[in-house]
Amino acid sequence: MSERDAENTLIIELKTGKVVIEMLPDVAPKHVSQIKALARSGQYDGVVFHRVIDGFMAQTGDVEFGDKTDGYNPRRAGTGGSDLPDLPAEFSNVPFDRGTVGMARSQNPNSGNSQFFIMFADGHFLNGNYTVWGKVVDGMEFVDQIVRGEPPADPDEMISVKVAADAE
């Protein structure tokens, strides 16, 4: 971990292994700050991947309705957020390539809150329309194993999500 900035590295534990995400505070400072706050408060722990489209992306982060351990509602997962405010868009010229992590939102570009997605493949049609806040630097093989579905019948979850600086 020494070669990476531990304060801007996110570790997501899946049932198959750990996914390491390099967060990009220089590209999306408000989004990175919110992701870190949600991770540090434990709100992402137990949250399912509620929308997983083969060849496209895996979406998670609904801390309101997607937490398998507290208030999980499969019919509403994907419609909620957190108690933190929505964020203004931080669009950039960083492309949506395989492994890119972007912020999910409604039709309103300034509605990103807690949900995010990891790209299985390049999706350049998203460029400039969604906020990029990170990229997978290790463990993409575990992302590739996330159960597909909209929603999946038995969705995979983020067992724990930690900022590397806080990890043991």
Side-chain angles (χ1 to χ4, degrees):
M1 199 61 64
S2 55
E3 72 277 2
R4 291 196 221 297
D5 174 2
E7 182 58 33
N8 289 301
T9 301
L10 197 68
I11 301 169
I12 301 175
E13 184 183 340
L14 303 178
K15 69 181 181 190
T16 51
K18 287 185 178 9
V19 178
V20 180
I21 296 171
E22 176 188 344
M23 294 184 278
L24 305 172
D26 53 328
V27 173
K30 290 178 174 74
H31 285 73
V32 168
S33 178
Q34 186 132 314
I35 296 292
K36 290 198 287 192
L38 290 164
R40 286 189 157 130
S41 64
Q43 291 188 63
Y44 282 134
D45 298 353
V47 174
V48 302
F49 286 88
H50 64 270
R51 183 170 176 245
V52 185
I53 303 170
D54 199 33
F56 181 33
M57 59 90 217
Q59 186 170 332
T60 185
D62 183 344
V63 300
E64 187 175 1
F65 301 118
D67 186 342
K68 258 192 172 172
T69 62
D70 180 24
Y72 177 56
N73 183 333
R75 283 193 286 269
R76 299 207 53 200
T79 65
S82 74
D83 55 4
L84 299 175
D86 287 351
L87 297 164
E90 293 179 298
F91 298 156
S92 69
N93 60 3
V94 176
F96 277 90
D97 292 333
R98 173 175 163 76
T100 298
V101 187
M103 204 67 170
R105 61 171 176 80
S106 69
Q107 294 290 87
N108 177 350
N110 302 313
S111 63
N113 185 287
S114 64
Q115 293 187 44
F116 62 91
F117 56 92
I118 304 171
M119 300 297 292
F120 288 129
D122 294 355
H124 293 171
F125 62 95
L126 300 173
N127 292 354
N129 293 304
Y130 287 81
T131 298
V132 171
W133 62 264
K135 62 181 177 180
V136 174
V137 292
D138 194 31
M140 193 62 198
E141 67 272 23
F142 306 125
V143 174
D144 287 335
Q145 295 174 44
I146 295 169
V147 174
R148 292 351 189 222
E150 295 184 73
D154 184 19
D156 285 332
E157 66 190 89
M158 297 186 289
I159 295 165
S160 75
V161 180
K162 296 196 175 350
V163 176
D166 305 336
E168 299 175 67

